[in-house]
Structure formats: structure tokens, C-alpha cells
Amino acid sequence: MAAKRKRGALAAGKAKRARSAPRAGEEAPEGGPRERSLPPQGYNNPPQGYNNPPQEYSIPPPVSQGKWKNKQRVLIFSSRGINFRTRHLMQDLRTLMPHSKADTKMDRKDQLFVINEVCEMKNCNKCIFFEAKKKQDLYMWLSNTPQGPSAKFLVQNVHTLAELKMTGNCLRGSRPLLSFDPIFDREPHYALLKELFIQIFSTPQYHPKSQPFVDHVFTFTVTDERIWFRNYQIIEEDASLVEIGPRFVLNLIKIFQGSFGGPTLYENPHYQSPNMHRRLIRLSVAAKFREKQQVKEVQKIKKKGTKVLVEEDPTEVVFETPAEEKPVEIQLVKPESKPIVKDKKKLRKIQRKKQKKLFRTEG
């Protein structure tokens, strides 16, 4: 019974609340005051009175609740064999692009046109695919699936968010500004790449995972026949920038008409493959080694060669002083032969006997 009474009490309370606020066109119950909701007063809402009748007002919906029309979705994934830096770069791009989707790594044996079917299953119309070769070379494909076009780049000088340790920080999911070098409007192949970058990296308006703020800038600069990507945060109203990261350099290889293949629209004449670059380095090292060996052989030949005799210089004896001339002595008597004595004591005795004989003769 207690439960029934409580349910009844709740129902009665609801009914009383509903009756206390009569709808438009209904009269207020007798004996009670008539309630009326007044609009908020402000610049567009003057206070009532002064012969101003009550007006109806509608609050516009928030910016984030607008209608999502541009439904661009980007699939970001890679092939097997990538290193840790590529994996972190891929994760950074997914963080910066709220309209991106992820997928498992693709086997290297599969053909690239299979990616079009993967994008169709994931409901994506753009794709960023990282392809690793020899565990040291990284290639990036940007494609508009399934019609095309698509572009293939060699990725160099990769620095991720965690590696740079920049001081800037932006809101997760905010919309970026895209800044392009003026050369993107001069050359036709750069104009095509500009449109491809705009469609892939720009966050669609009113995307469910995006925020209605613009606080960072993606810059694409062409220097040394390469495209340099940088990410900056807008920290002040005077547009002062601080780099956040990631950063990398894209070296264009080819632009194809189709998605991941098809006729070649443009081929970069300044591109040099990593294999050719490493081969030239090895050849330069080998050339230096051969040059050193040749220098050593030339030095050996010079040492073994006959020495050239230089003629005597007549001026060498100018400052020489002549030696004193000694008189020539002619010895007429044959010198006595010295006895060969092995014993030194016997030799001394013989010399003493000779000395005694001389003394006697003189005396």
C-alpha cells in the first residue's frame, strides 16, 4: 500500500506541475495567479512596458551542432616493416586530424590497388599510406580514392611530437589553417598537390570529433625542390607562432592519374632514389681509397729510381783555407820488426833487456 501511495503521489505531483504552466491558448485555472515567461532583457530586448508587447525569441544552436556536410574521411595506415619513428609520426597525424581513421598494417606482398577496397570498407574517400622498404626508406602515398589522382613522396628528416619537445600546445581536434608557398599557384603540378593537401589535411566543418576553434597552422613550403611540412600554434592575437610539431620533408617522386597507379601525370626530374644516393657515397669512398693507393705507389717508384748525379760546383772551394805544407821525410833505415809475442810478461822482459843494453853502450 505504501508503494501505491508513493506512485500516486508522484503522479499527482507531475499533474500539478503540468497544470501550473498552462499552454498557449489555455486559460489559467481559477483561483491561481497567471504565470507568464518573460524574455531576457538586453540590447535587443528592451524592458517591457512603454507599450512594448512581449515577443518570441529563439537561441541559435552552438557552432559544434551545425550540419555536417563535407564528410571527408582520411584513412591513415602503413605497411609492415616500419620503424618506431614512422609509427609515432602516423600516430601524430591521427591526433592532429580528427576526421582520420586507422586500420591494421598491410602485408607487403599485397598489391597497392587493394587499398582502394580497404578505403571503401572503411567508408573513407582519402588515404595516407606509409610504405617502408629495406627498413630504412619511407615512402608516403596521398590518394583520392577510388578515382584519383595520387602522389608518391619520399619522406625525409622526420621529427615527431615527442622527439621535438616543443613548448607549444594546441587544442585536440581543433581546425587548422593551411598556409602554402606562392609557388603552389605558379606550377601546375604544385597546384594539383595543393588541392590534394587541402582536401586531406583540412578538418571538415561541424565534424563530430572536431572543436570549433582555429589555433594552429599547417605550413607547406617549397625549398630545394622539396616540400617542407611544419605545424605552428597561434598563441597571440597578433598571430605570433610557436612550432609544435611534427615536422618532415616530402620529396616528390611521381603524380599518377589513378589511385595508387595509372598513367603518370608528372615525374620529378630532380629526384634521386635512396639506393642511387648510397651507391654514389660508396663510389666516392672507393675513389678516395684508390687515390691514396696510387699516391703510395708513386712514392715507392720515386724511391727506387736512380739518383741523378749533380756536377761539382766550382764555387764550393772559394772559402776553403789551404792546409800547411809539411816537409817530406824519407826513411832510409828499415824499421825493426816487432816480435810477435803472445805472452805479455815475456814481451816486457825482452823490452827491459833491450833498454839495459842501450844504457851499457852509452856508458
Side-chain angles (χ1 to χ4, degrees), residues 134-197:
K134 295 186 176 181
K135 296 185 178 181
Q136 56 183 345
D137 302 331
L138 178 63
Y139 298 91
M140 178 192 287
W141 286 84
L142 300 180
S143 176
N144 179 22
T145 58
Q147 291 86 11
S150 59
K152 185 179 180 182
F153 301 90
L154 174 67
V155 186
Q156 298 172 331
N157 302 332
V158 177
H159 298 280
T160 59
L161 277 169
E163 183 181 358
L164 287 174
K165 296 181 181 178
M166 295 293 184
T167 56
N169 187 14
C170 64
L171 183 66
R172 183 187 180 97
S174 60
R175 301 183 64 206
L177 293 174
L178 300 184
S179 174
F180 291 93
D181 196 275
I183 198 173
F184 278 93
D185 298 326
R186 301 172 194 163
E187 302 292 337
H189 60 281
Y190 281 132
L192 178 61
L193 291 178
K194 178 181 177 180
E195 185 64 28
L196 194 62
F197 288 147

Side-chain angles (χ1 to χ4, degrees), residues 179-181 183-184 219-223 226-230:
S179 174
F180 291 93
D181 196 275
I183 198 173
F184 278 93
T219 62
F220 298 89
T221 310
V222 178
T223 306
R226 291 172 174 82
I227 301 173
W228 300 64
F229 175 85
R230 296 290 184 271

Side-chain angles (χ1 to χ4, degrees), residues 73 75 77 103 106 110-129 141-151 256-262:
R73 298 183 183 89
L75 181 64
F77 71 118
D103 195 20
M106 194 181 74
D110 296 338
Q111 299 295 329
L112 292 178
F113 61 82
V114 180
I115 301 175
N116 296 325
E117 300 177 2
V118 178
C119 292
E120 186 179 356
M121 289 188 292
K122 288 286 184 177
N123 198 15
C124 297
N125 51 3
K126 299 290 184 295
C127 180
I128 299 178
F129 177 66
W141 286 84
L142 300 180
S143 176
N144 179 22
T145 58
Q147 291 86 11
S150 59
F256 300 96
Q257 184 177 354
S259 178
F260 296 98

Side-chain angles (χ1 to χ4, degrees), residues 29-142:
E30 296 180 359
R34 190 169 192 177
E35 296 182 0
R36 182 176 62 183
S37 61
L38 298 177
Q41 296 180 1
Y43 182 79
N44 295 325
N45 302 326
Q48 293 196 5
Y50 302 100
N51 298 326
N52 290 330
Q55 299 177 2
E56 294 182 357
Y57 298 92
S58 61
I59 301 173
V63 180
S64 60
Q65 295 181 2
K67 191 173 182 182
W68 179 28
K69 296 180 181 179
N70 179 19
K71 297 190 177 182
Q72 297 280 351
R73 298 183 183 89
V74 182
L75 181 64
I76 302 176
F77 71 118
S78 68
S79 65
R80 297 191 180 276
I82 62 173
N83 54 10
F84 71 97
R85 183 168 291 159
T86 306
R87 186 173 65 253
H88 288 198
L89 174 63
M90 189 167 54
Q91 190 62 35
D92 293 343
L93 291 178
R94 290 172 183 168
T95 305
L96 294 172
M97 301 165 63
H99 60 294
S100 63
K101 287 190 175 183
D103 195 20
T104 57
K105 295 179 181 179
M106 194 181 74
D107 195 358
R108 283 181 285 183
K109 296 180 181 178
D110 296 338
Q111 299 295 329
L112 292 178
F113 61 82
V114 180
I115 301 175
N116 296 325
E117 300 177 2
V118 178
C119 292
E120 186 179 356
M121 289 188 292
K122 288 286 184 177
N123 198 15
C124 297
N125 51 3
K126 299 290 184 295
C127 180
I128 299 178
F129 177 66
F130 291 95
E131 185 181 6
K133 291 185 178 180
K134 295 186 176 181
K135 296 185 178 181
Q136 56 183 345
D137 302 331
L138 178 63
Y139 298 91
M140 178 192 287
W141 286 84
L142 300 180

